C-alpha cells in the first residue's frame, strides 16, 4: 500500500485586488497648509520662540497683504500635483479614472478650503494677541 504523496504544486499567491484609497484628507490638508503658509510660518516661529510675537505679526501681515495670491496659487498647485500623483499611482490618471472618484475630488477641495479657513482664523486670533 503506497502512501499518498503530498501535493507539491505551488500555491498561487494572492494578488492585491483592492486598490489603495485616495488620501483625500492628507492632500487637502497639505494644500490648505501651503496656501496659508504666509501666516502659519511666522506664527510657528513666534510660538517656538525664534521671533517675537510683534515681529511675527508684522511678517505675517506683510506676507499676507503683498503675496497672499502667490501662496494661494502655490496651495492650489500642491493640491493638483498631489491629486495627479495619487491618480497616477492608481493607474487612474484619465478622465474615466477621475469619474470613478467623482465624489472624492471635490472632497479634497473642501478639506483644503476648510484647512485654510481654520488656519486663517487661528492665526488671525493669535495676531490680535500680539502687542
Amino acid at each position: 500500500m503506497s502512501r499518498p504523496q503530498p501535493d507539491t504544486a505551488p500555491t498561487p499567491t494572492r494578488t492585491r485586488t483592492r486598490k489603495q484609497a485616495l488620501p483625500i484628507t492628507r492632500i487637502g490638508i497639505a494644500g490648505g497648509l501651503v496656501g496659508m503658509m504666509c501666516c502659519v510660518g511666522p506664527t510657528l516661529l513666534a510660538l517656538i520662540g525664534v521671533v517675537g510675537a510683534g515681529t511675527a505679526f508684522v511678517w505675517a501681515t506683510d506676507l499676507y497683504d503683498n503675496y497672499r495670491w502667490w501662496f494661494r496659487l502655490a496651495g492650489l498647485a500642491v493640491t493638483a500635483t498631489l491629486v495627479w500623483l495619487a491618480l497616477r499611482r492608481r493607474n487612474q490618471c484619465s478622465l474615466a479614472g477621475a469619474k470613478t472618484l467623482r465624489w472624492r475630488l471635490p472632497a479634497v477641495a473642501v478639506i483644503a478650503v476648510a484647512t485654510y479657513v481654520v488656519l486663517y482664523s487661528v492665526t488671525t486670533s493669535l495676531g490680535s494677541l500680539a502687542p
Side-chain angles (χ1 to χ4, degrees):
M1 204 167 191
S2 68
R3 296 178 79 188
Q5 295 295 325
D7 187 16
T8 57
T11 58
T13 58
R14 284 191 153 176
T15 59
R16 200 168 164 188
T17 57
R18 179 181 135 91
K19 293 189 178 190
Q20 186 179 8
L22 189 69
I24 60 174
T25 307
R26 287 184 290 171
I27 292 172
I29 290 174
L33 184 62
V34 170
M36 200 58 197
M37 211 53 174
C38 59
C39 298
V40 172
T43 302
L44 287 176
L45 289 175
L47 289 175
I48 62 174
V50 175
V51 297
T55 304
F57 179 72
V58 170
W59 286 357
T61 303
D62 185 44
L63 286 174
Y64 186 75
D65 287 344
N66 296 325
Y67 303 104
R68 67 177 151 224
W69 283 105
W70 289 105
F71 284 99
R72 290 174 184 167
L73 289 174
L76 183 63
V78 165
T79 303
T81 301
L82 289 175
V83 166
W84 178 74
L85 287 171
L87 289 175
R88 190 164 182 222
R89 184 175 295 160
R90 295 169 50 105
N91 290 328
Q92 292 182 330
C93 196
S94 66
L95 190 57
K99 283 183 180 180
T100 62
L101 302 169
R102 64 184 165 268
W103 71 270
R104 287 183 171 262
L105 296 177
V108 168
V110 167
I111 292 170
V113 170
T115 302
Y116 182 91
V117 168
V118 166
L119 290 175
Y120 179 80
S121 63
V122 167
T123 55
T124 303
S125 65
L126 288 174
S128 67
L129 299 175

